[in-house]
PDB file of all heavy atoms in Angstrom:
ATOM      1  N   CYS A   1      -7.124  11.472  19.319  1.00 97.00           N
ATOM      2  CA  CYS A   1      -5.946  11.682  18.449  1.00 97.00           C
ATOM      3  C   CYS A   1      -6.139  10.760  17.302  1.00 97.00           C
ATOM      4  O   CYS A   1      -6.194   9.487  17.458  1.00 97.00           O
ATOM      5  CB  CYS A   1      -4.701  11.263  19.233  1.00 97.00           C
ATOM      6  SG  CYS A   1      -3.154  11.626  18.316  1.00 97.00           S
ATOM      7  N   GLY A   2      -6.230  11.291  16.072  1.00 95.00           N
ATOM      8  CA  GLY A   2      -6.402  10.571  14.861  1.00 95.00           C
ATOM      9  C   GLY A   2      -6.209  11.457  13.653  1.00 95.00           C
ATOM     10  O   GLY A   2      -6.114  12.696  13.819  1.00 95.00           O
ATOM     11  N   SER A   3      -6.258  10.804  12.483  1.00 93.00           N
ATOM     12  CA  SER A   3      -5.936  11.580  11.241  1.00 93.00           C
ATOM     13  C   SER A   3      -7.126  11.825  10.409  1.00 93.00           C
ATOM     14  O   SER A   3      -7.099  12.648   9.490  1.00 93.00           O
ATOM     15  CB  SER A   3      -4.889  10.785  10.453  1.00 93.00           C
ATOM     16  OG  SER A   3      -5.456   9.452  10.098  1.00 93.00           O
ATOM     17  N   SER A   4      -8.265  11.163  10.682  1.00 93.00           N
ATOM     18  CA  SER A   4      -9.339  11.178   9.743  1.00 93.00           C
ATOM     19  C   SER A   4      -9.961  12.619   9.510  1.00 93.00           C
ATOM     20  O   SER A   4     -10.345  12.923   8.363  1.00 93.00           O
ATOM     21  CB  SER A   4     -10.535  10.325  10.199  1.00 93.00           C
ATOM     22  OG  SER A   4     -10.936  10.638  11.599  1.00 93.00           O
ATOM     23  N   VAL A   5     -10.031  13.459  10.522  1.00 94.00           N
ATOM     24  CA  VAL A   5     -10.466  14.860  10.357  1.00 94.00           C
ATOM     25  C   VAL A   5      -9.281  15.732  10.138  1.00 94.00           C
ATOM     26  O   VAL A   5      -9.394  16.666   9.353  1.00 94.00           O
ATOM     27  CB  VAL A   5     -11.307  15.190  11.605  1.00 94.00           C
ATOM     28  CG1 VAL A   5     -11.570  16.705  11.533  1.00 94.00           C
ATOM     29  CG2 VAL A   5     -12.562  14.448  11.670  1.00 94.00           C
ATOM     30  N   TRP A   6      -8.211  15.572  10.943  1.00 94.00           N
ATOM     31  CA  TRP A   6      -7.025  16.398  10.870  1.00 94.00           C
ATOM     32  C   TRP A   6      -6.367  16.419   9.502  1.00 94.00           C
ATOM     33  O   TRP A   6      -6.151  17.468   8.938  1.00 94.00           O
ATOM     34  CB  TRP A   6      -6.048  15.988  11.944  1.00 94.00           C
ATOM     35  CG  TRP A   6      -5.176  17.010  12.383  1.00 94.00           C
ATOM     36  CD1 TRP A   6      -4.649  18.145  11.646  1.00 94.00           C
ATOM     37  CD2 TRP A   6      -4.492  17.125  13.657  1.00 94.00           C
ATOM     38  NE1 TRP A   6      -3.756  18.851  12.399  1.00 94.00           N
ATOM     39  CE2 TRP A   6      -3.668  18.287  13.708  1.00 94.00           C
ATOM     40  CE3 TRP A   6      -4.602  16.390  14.803  1.00 94.00           C
ATOM     41  CZ2 TRP A   6      -2.948  18.652  14.778  1.00 94.00           C
ATOM     42  CZ3 TRP A   6      -3.841  16.748  15.932  1.00 94.00           C
ATOM     43  CH2 TRP A   6      -2.996  17.906  15.933  1.00 94.00           C
ATOM     44  N   LYS A   7      -6.085  15.203   9.012  1.00 91.00           N
ATOM     45  CA  LYS A   7      -5.464  15.144   7.666  1.00 91.00           C
ATOM     46  C   LYS A   7      -5.881  13.743   7.001  1.00 91.00           C
ATOM     47  O   LYS A   7      -5.065  12.811   7.169  1.00 91.00           O
ATOM     48  CB  LYS A   7      -3.930  15.188   7.739  1.00 91.00           C
ATOM     49  CG  LYS A   7      -3.249  15.316   6.384  1.00 91.00           C
ATOM     50  CD  LYS A   7      -1.785  15.504   6.497  1.00 91.00           C
ATOM     51  CE  LYS A   7      -1.093  15.683   5.135  1.00 91.00           C
ATOM     52  NZ  LYS A   7       0.323  15.878   5.266  1.00 91.00           N
ATOM     53  N   PRO A   8      -7.088  13.758   6.420  1.00 90.00           N
ATOM     54  CA  PRO A   8      -7.647  12.466   5.991  1.00 90.00           C
ATOM     55  C   PRO A   8      -6.796  11.867   4.848  1.00 90.00           C
ATOM     56  O   PRO A   8      -6.336  12.528   3.977  1.00 90.00           O
ATOM     57  CB  PRO A   8      -9.034  12.876   5.513  1.00 90.00           C
ATOM     58  CG  PRO A   8      -8.982  14.352   5.192  1.00 90.00           C
ATOM     59  CD  PRO A   8      -8.028  14.861   6.214  1.00 90.00           C
ATOM     60  N   VAL A   9      -6.670  10.528   4.915  1.00 85.00           N
ATOM     61  CA  VAL A   9      -5.980   9.716   3.859  1.00 85.00           C
ATOM     62  C   VAL A   9      -7.005   8.601   3.481  1.00 85.00           C
ATOM     63  O   VAL A   9      -7.485   7.860   4.296  1.00 85.00           O
ATOM     64  CB  VAL A   9      -4.697   9.120   4.368  1.00 85.00           C
ATOM     65  CG1 VAL A   9      -4.117   8.148   3.310  1.00 85.00           C
ATOM     66  CG2 VAL A   9      -3.696  10.112   4.764  1.00 85.00           C
ATOM     67  N   TYR A  10      -7.321   8.535   2.183  1.00 85.00           N
ATOM     68  CA  TYR A  10      -8.288   7.618   1.656  1.00 85.00           C
ATOM     69  C   TYR A  10      -7.611   6.274   1.433  1.00 85.00           C
ATOM     70  O   TYR A  10      -6.442   6.247   1.097  1.00 85.00           O
ATOM     71  CB  TYR A  10      -8.939   8.113   0.432  1.00 85.00           C
ATOM     72  CG  TYR A  10      -9.875   9.355   0.652  1.00 85.00           C
ATOM     73  CD1 TYR A  10      -9.307  10.674   0.523  1.00 85.00           C
ATOM     74  CD2 TYR A  10     -11.175   9.185   1.091  1.00 85.00           C
ATOM     75  CE1 TYR A  10     -10.179  11.637   0.807  1.00 85.00           C
ATOM     76  CE2 TYR A  10     -11.953  10.244   1.376  1.00 85.00           C
ATOM     77  CZ  TYR A  10     -11.469  11.567   1.179  1.00 85.00           C
ATOM     78  OH  TYR A  10     -12.142  12.685   1.519  1.00 85.00           O
ATOM     79  N   ILE A  11      -8.369   5.250   1.598  1.00 83.00           N
ATOM     80  CA  ILE A  11      -7.749   3.874   1.485  1.00 83.00           C
ATOM     81  C   ILE A  11      -7.181   3.615   0.138  1.00 83.00           C
ATOM     82  O   ILE A  11      -6.182   2.989   0.065  1.00 83.00           O
ATOM     83  CB  ILE A  11      -8.878   2.835   1.838  1.00 83.00           C
ATOM     84  CG1 ILE A  11      -8.194   1.500   2.058  1.00 83.00           C
ATOM     85  CG2 ILE A  11      -9.907   2.709   0.749  1.00 83.00           C
ATOM     86  CD1 ILE A  11      -7.470   1.374   3.335  1.00 83.00           C
ATOM     87  N   GLN A  12      -7.782   4.166  -0.935  1.00 82.00           N
ATOM     88  CA  GLN A  12      -7.251   3.990  -2.258  1.00 82.00           C
ATOM     89  C   GLN A  12      -5.821   4.592  -2.337  1.00 82.00           C
ATOM     90  O   GLN A  12      -4.930   4.072  -2.916  1.00 82.00           O
ATOM     91  CB  GLN A  12      -8.153   4.538  -3.301  1.00 82.00           C
ATOM     92  CG  GLN A  12      -7.769   4.338  -4.733  1.00 82.00           C
ATOM     93  CD  GLN A  12      -7.772   2.857  -5.104  1.00 82.00           C
ATOM     94  OE1 GLN A  12      -8.857   2.179  -4.984  1.00 82.00           O
ATOM     95  NE2 GLN A  12      -6.646   2.276  -5.428  1.00 82.00           N
ATOM     96  N   THR A  13      -5.707   5.839  -1.782  1.00 83.00           N
ATOM     97  CA  THR A  13      -4.418   6.598  -1.829  1.00 83.00           C
ATOM     98  C   THR A  13      -3.391   5.760  -1.027  1.00 83.00           C
ATOM     99  O   THR A  13      -2.241   5.591  -1.420  1.00 83.00           O
ATOM    100  CB  THR A  13      -4.582   7.895  -1.193  1.00 83.00           C
ATOM    101  OG1 THR A  13      -5.577   8.630  -1.912  1.00 83.00           O
ATOM    102  CG2 THR A  13      -3.281   8.687  -1.276  1.00 83.00           C
ATOM    103  N   ASN A  14      -3.844   5.250   0.084  1.00 82.00           N
ATOM    104  CA  ASN A  14      -2.947   4.439   0.951  1.00 82.00           C
ATOM    105  C   ASN A  14      -2.353   3.259   0.242  1.00 82.00           C
ATOM    106  O   ASN A  14      -1.156   2.976   0.287  1.00 82.00           O
ATOM    107  CB  ASN A  14      -3.736   3.977   2.185  1.00 82.00           C
ATOM    108  CG  ASN A  14      -2.887   3.063   3.132  1.00 82.00           C
ATOM    109  OD1 ASN A  14      -2.014   3.518   3.885  1.00 82.00           O
ATOM    110  ND2 ASN A  14      -3.163   1.752   3.089  1.00 82.00           N
ATOM    111  N   TYR A  15      -3.245   2.504  -0.467  1.00 84.00           N
ATOM    112  CA  TYR A  15      -2.788   1.308  -1.119  1.00 84.00           C
ATOM    113  C   TYR A  15      -1.980   1.554  -2.442  1.00 84.00           C
ATOM    114  O   TYR A  15      -1.154   0.793  -2.832  1.00 84.00           O
ATOM    115  CB  TYR A  15      -3.911   0.275  -1.353  1.00 84.00           C
ATOM    116  CG  TYR A  15      -4.163  -0.486  -0.121  1.00 84.00           C
ATOM    117  CD1 TYR A  15      -5.282  -0.302   0.673  1.00 84.00           C
ATOM    118  CD2 TYR A  15      -3.265  -1.377   0.405  1.00 84.00           C
ATOM    119  CE1 TYR A  15      -5.572  -0.952   1.853  1.00 84.00           C
ATOM    120  CE2 TYR A  15      -3.424  -2.027   1.586  1.00 84.00           C
ATOM    121  CZ  TYR A  15      -4.583  -1.891   2.332  1.00 84.00           C
ATOM    122  OH  TYR A  15      -4.810  -2.520   3.477  1.00 84.00           O
ATOM    123  N   THR A  16      -2.307   2.733  -3.007  1.00 86.00           N
ATOM    124  CA  THR A  16      -1.476   3.122  -4.183  1.00 86.00           C
ATOM    125  C   THR A  16      -0.052   3.309  -3.757  1.00 86.00           C
ATOM    126  O   THR A  16       0.939   2.869  -4.389  1.00 86.00           O
ATOM    127  CB  THR A  16      -2.055   4.408  -4.843  1.00 86.00           C
ATOM    128  OG1 THR A  16      -3.400   4.088  -5.306  1.00 86.00           O
ATOM    129  CG2 THR A  16      -1.155   4.850  -5.978  1.00 86.00           C
ATOM    130  N   LEU A  17       0.123   4.035  -2.639  1.00 87.00           N
ATOM    131  CA  LEU A  17       1.458   4.257  -2.073  1.00 87.00           C
ATOM    132  C   LEU A  17       2.050   2.939  -1.571  1.00 87.00           C
ATOM    133  O   LEU A  17       3.280   2.709  -1.790  1.00 87.00           O
ATOM    134  CB  LEU A  17       1.373   5.321  -0.895  1.00 87.00           C
ATOM    135  CG  LEU A  17       0.936   6.682  -1.240  1.00 87.00           C
ATOM    136  CD1 LEU A  17       0.670   7.522   0.057  1.00 87.00           C
ATOM    137  CD2 LEU A  17       1.984   7.408  -2.126  1.00 87.00           C
ATOM    138  N   PHE A  18       1.265   2.116  -0.986  1.00 87.00           N
ATOM    139  CA  PHE A  18       1.736   0.871  -0.487  1.00 87.00           C
ATOM    140  C   PHE A  18       2.387  -0.016  -1.529  1.00 87.00           C
ATOM    141  O   PHE A  18       3.505  -0.551  -1.402  1.00 87.00           O
ATOM    142  CB  PHE A  18       0.602   0.114   0.201  1.00 87.00           C
ATOM    143  CG  PHE A  18       0.916  -1.323   0.629  1.00 87.00           C
ATOM    144  CD1 PHE A  18       1.619  -1.602   1.738  1.00 87.00           C
ATOM    145  CD2 PHE A  18       0.422  -2.337  -0.217  1.00 87.00           C
ATOM    146  CE1 PHE A  18       1.920  -2.906   2.044  1.00 87.00           C
ATOM    147  CE2 PHE A  18       0.742  -3.632   0.167  1.00 87.00           C
ATOM    148  CZ  PHE A  18       1.498  -3.928   1.289  1.00 87.00           C
ATOM    149  N   PHE A  19       1.712  -0.178  -2.681  1.00 90.00           N
ATOM    150  CA  PHE A  19       2.192  -1.034  -3.776  1.00 90.00           C
ATOM    151  C   PHE A  19       3.413  -0.397  -4.479  1.00 90.00           C
ATOM    152  O   PHE A  19       4.188  -1.156  -5.039  1.00 90.00           O
ATOM    153  CB  PHE A  19       1.095  -1.310  -4.678  1.00 90.00           C
ATOM    154  CG  PHE A  19       0.038  -2.323  -4.135  1.00 90.00           C
ATOM    155  CD1 PHE A  19      -1.202  -1.991  -3.946  1.00 90.00           C
ATOM    156  CD2 PHE A  19       0.482  -3.603  -3.842  1.00 90.00           C
ATOM    157  CE1 PHE A  19      -2.141  -2.851  -3.415  1.00 90.00           C
ATOM    158  CE2 PHE A  19      -0.381  -4.500  -3.333  1.00 90.00           C
ATOM    159  CZ  PHE A  19      -1.698  -4.216  -3.093  1.00 90.00           C
ATOM    160  N   LYS A  20       3.541   0.910  -4.440  1.00 90.00           N
ATOM    161  CA  LYS A  20       4.755   1.494  -4.923  1.00 90.00           C
ATOM    162  C   LYS A  20       5.958   1.118  -4.091  1.00 90.00           C
ATOM    163  O   LYS A  20       7.050   0.883  -4.616  1.00 90.00           O
ATOM    164  CB  LYS A  20       4.606   3.016  -4.949  1.00 90.00           C
ATOM    165  CG  LYS A  20       3.774   3.525  -6.100  1.00 90.00           C
ATOM    166  CD  LYS A  20       3.697   5.102  -6.078  1.00 90.00           C
ATOM    167  CE  LYS A  20       2.774   5.647  -7.205  1.00 90.00           C
ATOM    168  NZ  LYS A  20       2.746   7.103  -7.171  1.00 90.00           N
ATOM    169  N   VAL A  21       5.793   1.083  -2.776  1.00 89.00           N
ATOM    170  CA  VAL A  21       6.787   0.733  -1.849  1.00 89.00           C
ATOM    171  C   VAL A  21       7.052  -0.758  -2.013  1.00 89.00           C
ATOM    172  O   VAL A  21       8.300  -1.193  -2.068  1.00 89.00           O
ATOM    173  CB  VAL A  21       6.418   1.044  -0.367  1.00 89.00           C
ATOM    174  CG1 VAL A  21       7.545   0.516   0.586  1.00 89.00           C
ATOM    175  CG2 VAL A  21       6.235   2.521  -0.231  1.00 89.00           C
ATOM    176  N   VAL A  22       6.132  -1.589  -2.088  1.00 91.00           N
ATOM    177  CA  VAL A  22       6.290  -3.087  -2.247  1.00 91.00           C
ATOM    178  C   VAL A  22       7.090  -3.362  -3.580  1.00 91.00           C
ATOM    179  O   VAL A  22       7.875  -4.255  -3.572  1.00 91.00           O
ATOM    180  CB  VAL A  22       4.987  -3.837  -2.247  1.00 91.00           C
ATOM    181  CG1 VAL A  22       5.122  -5.274  -2.655  1.00 91.00           C
ATOM    182  CG2 VAL A  22       4.347  -3.731  -0.827  1.00 91.00           C
ATOM    183  N   GLU A  23       6.823  -2.660  -4.661  1.00 91.00           N
ATOM    184  CA  GLU A  23       7.472  -2.886  -5.903  1.00 91.00           C
ATOM    185  C   GLU A  23       8.969  -2.488  -5.768  1.00 91.00           C
ATOM    186  O   GLU A  23       9.850  -3.139  -6.274  1.00 91.00           O
ATOM    187  CB  GLU A  23       6.833  -2.025  -7.016  1.00 91.00           C
ATOM    188  CG  GLU A  23       7.476  -2.279  -8.358  1.00 91.00           C
ATOM    189  CD  GLU A  23       6.760  -1.546  -9.471  1.00 91.00           C
ATOM    190  OE1 GLU A  23       5.924  -0.699  -9.165  1.00 91.00           O
ATOM    191  OE2 GLU A  23       7.040  -1.875 -10.653  1.00 91.00           O
ATOM    192  N   LYS A  24       9.248  -1.449  -4.979  1.00 90.00           N
ATOM    193  CA  LYS A  24      10.585  -0.977  -4.818  1.00 90.00           C
ATOM    194  C   LYS A  24      11.398  -1.852  -3.862  1.00 90.00           C
ATOM    195  O   LYS A  24      12.568  -2.181  -4.005  1.00 90.00           O
ATOM    196  CB  LYS A  24      10.670   0.416  -4.365  1.00 90.00           C
ATOM    197  CG  LYS A  24      12.012   1.155  -4.435  1.00 90.00           C
ATOM    198  CD  LYS A  24      11.931   2.586  -4.121  1.00 90.00           C
ATOM    199  CE  LYS A  24      13.240   3.253  -4.274  1.00 90.00           C
ATOM    200  NZ  LYS A  24      13.181   4.745  -4.016  1.00 90.00           N
ATOM    201  N   TYR A  25      10.695  -2.305  -2.808  1.00 90.00           N
ATOM    202  CA  TYR A  25      11.288  -3.187  -1.735  1.00 90.00           C
ATOM    203  C   TYR A  25      10.377  -4.389  -1.478  1.00 90.00           C
ATOM    204  O   TYR A  25       9.770  -4.472  -0.396  1.00 90.00           O
ATOM    205  CB  TYR A  25      11.458  -2.350  -0.482  1.00 90.00           C
ATOM    206  CG  TYR A  25      12.324  -1.105  -0.652  1.00 90.00           C
ATOM    207  CD1 TYR A  25      11.765   0.126  -0.799  1.00 90.00           C
ATOM    208  CD2 TYR A  25      13.746  -1.224  -0.694  1.00 90.00           C
ATOM    209  CE1 TYR A  25      12.562   1.277  -0.943  1.00 90.00           C
ATOM    210  CE2 TYR A  25      14.505  -0.071  -0.857  1.00 90.00           C
ATOM    211  CZ  TYR A  25      13.878   1.166  -0.963  1.00 90.00           C
ATOM    212  OH  TYR A  25      14.723   2.248  -1.144  1.00 90.00           O
ATOM    213  N   PRO A  26      10.382  -5.285  -2.434  1.00 92.00           N
ATOM    214  CA  PRO A  26       9.515  -6.464  -2.239  1.00 92.00           C
ATOM    215  C   PRO A  26      10.041  -7.436  -1.181  1.00 92.00           C
ATOM    216  O   PRO A  26      11.216  -7.440  -0.853  1.00 92.00           O
ATOM    217  CB  PRO A  26       9.552  -7.103  -3.642  1.00 92.00           C
ATOM    218  CG  PRO A  26      10.849  -6.709  -4.195  1.00 92.00           C
ATOM    219  CD  PRO A  26      11.131  -5.341  -3.715  1.00 92.00           C
ATOM    220  N   PHE A  27       9.140  -8.345  -0.718  1.00 92.00           N
ATOM    221  CA  PHE A  27       9.472  -9.295   0.277  1.00 92.00           C
ATOM    222  C   PHE A  27      10.113 -10.482  -0.472  1.00 92.00           C
ATOM    223  O   PHE A  27       9.579 -10.942  -1.519  1.00 92.00           O
ATOM    224  CB  PHE A  27       8.235  -9.777   1.069  1.00 92.00           C
ATOM    225  CG  PHE A  27       7.592  -8.660   1.806  1.00 92.00           C
ATOM    226  CD1 PHE A  27       6.224  -8.760   2.158  1.00 92.00           C
ATOM    227  CD2 PHE A  27       8.211  -7.514   2.177  1.00 92.00           C
ATOM    228  CE1 PHE A  27       5.493  -7.783   2.826  1.00 92.00           C
ATOM    229  CE2 PHE A  27       7.564  -6.478   2.929  1.00 92.00           C
ATOM    230  CZ  PHE A  27       6.208  -6.650   3.199  1.00 92.00           C
ATOM    231  N   SER A  28      11.134 -11.010   0.047  1.00 91.00           N
ATOM    232  CA  SER A  28      11.789 -12.148  -0.621  1.00 91.00           C
ATOM    233  C   SER A  28      11.063 -13.460  -0.620  1.00 91.00           C
ATOM    234  O   SER A  28      11.322 -14.262  -1.441  1.00 91.00           O
ATOM    235  CB  SER A  28      13.239 -12.359   0.034  1.00 91.00           C
ATOM    236  OG  SER A  28      13.125 -12.708   1.372  1.00 91.00           O
ATOM    237  N   LYS A  29      10.148 -13.601   0.357  1.00 89.00           N
ATOM    238  CA  LYS A  29       9.414 -14.872   0.449  1.00 89.00           C
ATOM    239  C   LYS A  29       7.967 -14.706  -0.006  1.00 89.00           C
ATOM    240  O   LYS A  29       7.134 -15.557   0.346  1.00 89.00           O
ATOM    241  CB  LYS A  29       9.438 -15.373   1.877  1.00 89.00           C
ATOM    242  CG  LYS A  29      10.880 -15.726   2.323  1.00 89.00           C
ATOM    243  CD  LYS A  29      10.869 -16.239   3.787  1.00 89.00           C
ATOM    244  CE  LYS A  29      12.244 -16.681   4.227  1.00 89.00           C
ATOM    245  NZ  LYS A  29      12.278 -17.138   5.642  1.00 89.00           N
ATOM    246  N   MET A  30       7.680 -13.794  -0.829  1.00 91.00           N
ATOM    247  CA  MET A  30       6.306 -13.651  -1.350  1.00 91.00           C
ATOM    248  C   MET A  30       5.920 -14.871  -2.197  1.00 91.00           C
ATOM    249  O   MET A  30       6.762 -15.455  -2.846  1.00 91.00           O
ATOM    250  CB  MET A  30       6.142 -12.305  -2.164  1.00 91.00           C
ATOM    251  CG  MET A  30       6.905 -12.320  -3.471  1.00 91.00           C
ATOM    252  SD  MET A  30       6.553 -10.794  -4.451  1.00 91.00           S
ATOM    253  CE  MET A  30       7.266  -9.575  -3.421  1.00 91.00           C
ATOM    254  N   VAL A  31       4.640 -15.252  -2.074  1.00 89.00           N
ATOM    255  CA  VAL A  31       4.201 -16.476  -2.716  1.00 89.00           C
ATOM    256  C   VAL A  31       3.436 -16.147  -4.010  1.00 89.00           C
ATOM    257  O   VAL A  31       3.276 -17.074  -4.839  1.00 89.00           O
ATOM    258  CB  VAL A  31       3.287 -17.360  -1.772  1.00 89.00           C
ATOM    259  CG1 VAL A  31       4.079 -17.733  -0.525  1.00 89.00           C
ATOM    260  CG2 VAL A  31       2.044 -16.536  -1.381  1.00 89.00           C
ATOM    261  N   TRP A  32       3.032 -14.931  -4.165  1.00 91.00           N
ATOM    262  CA  TRP A  32       2.387 -14.531  -5.369  1.00 91.00           C
ATOM    263  C   TRP A  32       2.513 -13.020  -5.555  1.00 91.00           C
ATOM    264  O   TRP A  32       2.844 -12.276  -4.615  1.00 91.00           O
ATOM    265  CB  TRP A  32       0.871 -14.941  -5.454  1.00 91.00           C
ATOM    266  CG  TRP A  32       0.240 -14.828  -6.817  1.00 91.00           C
ATOM    267  CD1 TRP A  32      -0.723 -13.933  -7.176  1.00 91.00           C
ATOM    268  CD2 TRP A  32       0.469 -15.675  -7.905  1.00 91.00           C
ATOM    269  NE1 TRP A  32      -1.070 -14.158  -8.510  1.00 91.00           N
ATOM    270  CE2 TRP A  32      -0.294 -15.168  -8.915  1.00 91.00           C
ATOM    271  CE3 TRP A  32       1.342 -16.777  -8.118  1.00 91.00           C
ATOM    272  CZ2 TRP A  32      -0.254 -15.750 -10.282  1.00 91.00           C
ATOM    273  CZ3 TRP A  32       1.290 -17.300  -9.335  1.00 91.00           C
ATOM    274  CH2 TRP A  32       0.505 -16.881 -10.440  1.00 91.00           C
ATOM    275  N   TYR A  33       2.243 -12.548  -6.749  1.00 93.00           N
ATOM    276  CA  TYR A  33       2.347 -11.162  -7.061  1.00 93.00           C
ATOM    277  C   TYR A  33       1.306 -10.360  -6.190  1.00 93.00           C
ATOM    278  O   TYR A  33       0.117 -10.727  -6.124  1.00 93.00           O
ATOM    279  CB  TYR A  33       2.020 -10.858  -8.506  1.00 93.00           C
ATOM    280  CG  TYR A  33       1.937  -9.463  -8.925  1.00 93.00           C
ATOM    281  CD1 TYR A  33       3.111  -8.621  -8.940  1.00 93.00           C
ATOM    282  CD2 TYR A  33       0.731  -8.873  -9.298  1.00 93.00           C
ATOM    283  CE1 TYR A  33       3.017  -7.349  -9.305  1.00 93.00           C
ATOM    284  CE2 TYR A  33       0.704  -7.564  -9.690  1.00 93.00           C
ATOM    285  CZ  TYR A  33       1.812  -6.740  -9.686  1.00 93.00           C
ATOM    286  OH  TYR A  33       1.768  -5.427 -10.044  1.00 93.00           O
ATOM    287  N   PRO A  34       1.757  -9.343  -5.425  1.00 93.00           N
ATOM    288  CA  PRO A  34       0.904  -8.663  -4.494  1.00 93.00           C
ATOM    289  C   PRO A  34      -0.057  -7.714  -5.222  1.00 93.00           C
ATOM    290  O   PRO A  34       0.377  -6.845  -5.940  1.00 93.00           O
ATOM    291  CB  PRO A  34       1.838  -7.928  -3.565  1.00 93.00           C
ATOM    292  CG  PRO A  34       3.089  -7.736  -4.363  1.00 93.00           C
ATOM    293  CD  PRO A  34       3.178  -8.925  -5.275  1.00 93.00           C
ATOM    294  N   PHE A  35      -1.364  -7.888  -4.972  1.00 92.00           N
ATOM    295  CA  PHE A  35      -2.368  -6.950  -5.432  1.00 92.00           C
ATOM    296  C   PHE A  35      -3.597  -7.109  -4.541  1.00 92.00           C
ATOM    297  O   PHE A  35      -3.711  -8.057  -3.760  1.00 92.00           O
ATOM    298  CB  PHE A  35      -2.810  -7.332  -6.867  1.00 92.00           C
ATOM    299  CG  PHE A  35      -3.607  -8.633  -7.029  1.00 92.00           C
ATOM    300  CD1 PHE A  35      -4.960  -8.575  -6.963  1.00 92.00           C
ATOM    301  CD2 PHE A  35      -2.868  -9.784  -7.209  1.00 92.00           C
ATOM    302  CE1 PHE A  35      -5.670  -9.796  -7.092  1.00 92.00           C
ATOM    303  CE2 PHE A  35      -3.618 -10.979  -7.297  1.00 92.00           C
ATOM    304  CZ  PHE A  35      -4.947 -10.981  -7.275  1.00 92.00           C
ATOM    305  N   VAL A  36      -4.470  -6.118  -4.514  1.00 90.00           N
ATOM    306  CA  VAL A  36      -5.606  -6.186  -3.611  1.00 90.00           C
ATOM    307  C   VAL A  36      -6.817  -5.589  -4.286  1.00 90.00           C
ATOM    308  O   VAL A  36      -6.679  -4.552  -5.037  1.00 90.00           O
ATOM    309  CB  VAL A  36      -5.350  -5.425  -2.285  1.00 90.00           C
ATOM    310  CG1 VAL A  36      -5.233  -3.951  -2.468  1.00 90.00           C
ATOM    311  CG2 VAL A  36      -6.364  -5.815  -1.226  1.00 90.00           C
ATOM    312  N   ILE A  37      -7.927  -6.265  -4.157  1.00 90.00           N
ATOM    313  CA  ILE A  37      -9.254  -5.783  -4.649  1.00 90.00           C
ATOM    314  C   ILE A  37      -9.989  -5.261  -3.408  1.00 90.00           C
ATOM    315  O   ILE A  37     -10.231  -5.972  -2.504  1.00 90.00           O
ATOM    316  CB  ILE A  37      -9.983  -6.869  -5.424  1.00 90.00           C
ATOM    317  CG1 ILE A  37      -9.104  -7.444  -6.571  1.00 90.00           C
ATOM    318  CG2 ILE A  37     -11.394  -6.401  -5.902  1.00 90.00           C
ATOM    319  CD1 ILE A  37      -9.699  -8.656  -7.213  1.00 90.00           C
TER     320      ILE A  37
END
């Protein structure tokens, strides 16, 4: 049971969506602007 073959999601797509959510609902105790390389 997994998604990689059934409905693959690429890591770049995942983090693009992730940062959209973080911008809309940020953590109140963040110590720096969230980004990832």
